[in-house]
Amino acid sequence: SRNIQKLFYNGEGLIYTYKSFLDYKGGSMSVIVIAAIFFLLLFVVIEYGKRRFDLQAEVSRKLVHIGAAVMSAALPLVMNFEQIIIIGILFLGFLLISKQVNLFPSIHGVKRKTYGEIYFPIAVSLMAYFFPSNLLYMHGLLIMGFSDGLAGLSGQHYGTRKYVILSKQKSYVGSGAFLFSAWLISFISLLISGANPMPALLLGLLLGITVTGVEASLTTGLDNLVVPLVASTALLQCLYFLGLR
């Protein structure tokens, strides 16, 4: 419906200026502080869960990844995109320090070489800057969160069969989970945008295949940065193709 579309597009057309970053009233800063506290609580809860239940670092890391992505995707419902950019910058600094001192082993304790936790807040800020539309912003972050998180968890536990792409080993189960969840999110995003079910189904599948291929080809956590940008760019092109923009 038009009301639903209006809800998801009400962030369109933001103009970013130096003044807009400085002209914050007390209430605006309070929203940023409250959001930051909730993110920190997520980190602390997962860290406690890791130590209490002896979770593997890969599992706790993916739980943080999914939780933080969902919380980040919901930010436009309580703040504007300029504030989201600031949240991303603040947590970039925080996670750089945290990684150096290993403050949260649930996030930084994996053995493989990765900078995904550093790319994550950068992606949030870039998404808010380049896609100041609720739908486009949420779409990319939910794919980055749910699809990548589910792929990691399912691939780790059930991904016995592997394939190699660009010298990187991936599991069929993990990539399948990524593809299915990315297709589902894309399908829903297209329906919300006003697309008819059949075009939404087919284009959603094309979007899912595209981002799955991108994710499979990236290493060292770079998918956290690239996948949401590619996902939202692809969705935007589909909307233009369907005449919905």
Side-chain angles (χ1 to χ4, degrees):
S1 69
R2 291 186 176 180
N3 289 335
I4 294 178
Q5 293 178 44
K6 184 177 180 182
L7 169 65
F8 279 87
Y9 282 104
N10 63 9
E12 197 68 52
L14 286 174
I15 299 174
Y16 296 97
T17 62
Y18 178 69
K19 184 175 182 294
S20 69
F21 281 93
L22 298 180
D23 288 345
Y24 279 103
K25 298 179 181 179
S28 298
M29 290 306 298
S30 296
V31 171
I32 293 175
V33 171
I34 292 171
I37 291 173
F38 272 98
F39 277 102
L40 288 174
L41 282 174
L42 172 67
F43 298 162
V44 171
V45 168
I46 300 298
E47 182 66 32
Y48 171 79
K50 179 185 185 304
R51 300 183 183 189
R52 176 68 175 80
F53 302 104
D54 195 27
L55 297 176
Q56 296 180 10
E58 288 286 357
V59 174
S60 62
R61 181 183 174 90
K62 288 303 180 184
L63 292 177
V64 172
H65 179 88
I66 295 172
V70 172
M71 291 173 62
S72 298
L75 287 178
L77 302 179
V78 295
M79 64 176 63
N80 62 45
F81 288 98
E82 295 161 350
Q83 293 169 317
I84 294 173
I85 292 173
I86 292 178
I87 284 283
I89 293 172
L90 290 174
F91 271 93
L92 172 60
F94 173 80
L95 288 169
L96 283 170
I97 297 172
S98 175
K99 188 176 180 67
Q100 288 296 318
V101 301
N102 197 26
L103 180 61
F104 292 104
S106 57
I107 301 174
H108 311 297
V110 294
K111 296 180 180 179
R112 57 189 170 89
K113 183 179 181 181
T114 178
Y115 303 99
E117 70 271 39
I118 304 302
Y119 293 134
F120 191 111
I122 297 176
V124 170
S125 291
L126 289 178
M127 288 293 293
Y129 182 82
F130 288 111
F131 299 102
S133 154
N134 285 9
L135 176 64
L136 295 174
Y137 170 86
M138 292 177 179
H139 174 79
L141 287 182
L142 288 176
I143 286 183
M144 185 259 282
F146 274 119
S147 300
D148 186 55
L150 291 175
L153 291 174
S154 60
Q156 181 182 1
H157 291 282
Y158 307 107
T160 55
R161 297 185 61 187
K162 309 285 186 178
Y163 67 95
V164 177
I165 178 171
L166 298 178
S167 302
K168 181 184 178 184
Q169 195 176 66
K170 305 288 290 186
S171 73
Y172 286 103
V173 170
S175 293
F178 191 104
L179 173 59
F180 176 77
S181 56
W183 164 76
L184 184 60
I185 293 170
S186 299
F187 175 63
I188 294 172
S189 294
L190 287 165
L191 287 180
I192 289 172
S193 301
N196 291 324
M198 187 52 67
L201 185 70
L202 297 176
L203 288 174
L205 179 59
L206 179 60
L207 287 174
I209 293 172
T210 299
V211 293
T212 300
V214 170
E215 189 277 337
S217 65
L218 297 172
T219 59
T220 65
L222 193 59
D223 54 323
N224 282 359
L225 179 62
V226 177
V227 164
L229 295 169
V230 171
S232 292
T233 299
L235 175 63
L236 181 60
Q237 295 308 307
C238 286
L239 296 180
Y240 280 124
F241 175 75
L242 294 172
L244 298 173
R245 296 287 288 188

